[in-house]
Amino acid sequence: MKKSTTALILALLCSSALASPGEDRQKSFKKVLLSFEPIGVMLRDGPFRQDQFIKHADALKAAAPAPFTLFKPNSIDDVSRAKTEIWSQPAKFKAEQDKFLLAVNALQAGARSDDLAAVRIKYSAVAQSCKSCHDGFRGPKK
């Protein structure tokens, strides 16, 4: 039993150590989506449960900066959808990142509000920020 557990742990460590930059970024962005998508479902379809909304908004704020740390120079690979503009236009990419993080922070700060119309506007700002960055810096599926 001990041997199989150790082998499993080693296999997991090796597989994560062998992940490509594109895979690492995808995993990190998926972690962001795990918090963002339930917020959208609550706002669109209900029911709105503020305790769950706050939990997801807090998790979104915690996860949001992580993907941006994974855009190292020359880290385009077969999995990556990152466009070269990320590195050729770093100020523009940084501006998109900052806009996204500000929108996430505003959503998280407004999560405790009873004004659902204002919360929906903050959610839309995050979604628009994602779209804006994807339009400029994310390529098509391979």
Side-chain angles (χ1 to χ4, degrees), residues 50-95:
Q50 192 171 32
D51 60 330
Q52 290 298 307
F53 190 91
I54 290 169
K55 179 182 133 194
H56 289 299
D58 290 346
L60 176 62
K61 182 177 178 178
F68 297 101
T69 65
L70 301 172
F71 287 93
K72 307 293 184 215
N74 301 315
S75 62
I76 293 181
D77 55 32
D78 291 340
V79 175
S80 181
R81 292 175 61 188
K83 290 183 177 179
T84 59
E85 286 84 347
I86 289 171
W87 298 279
S88 66
Q89 301 173 15
K92 188 175 176 187
F93 183 63
K94 177 74 167 113

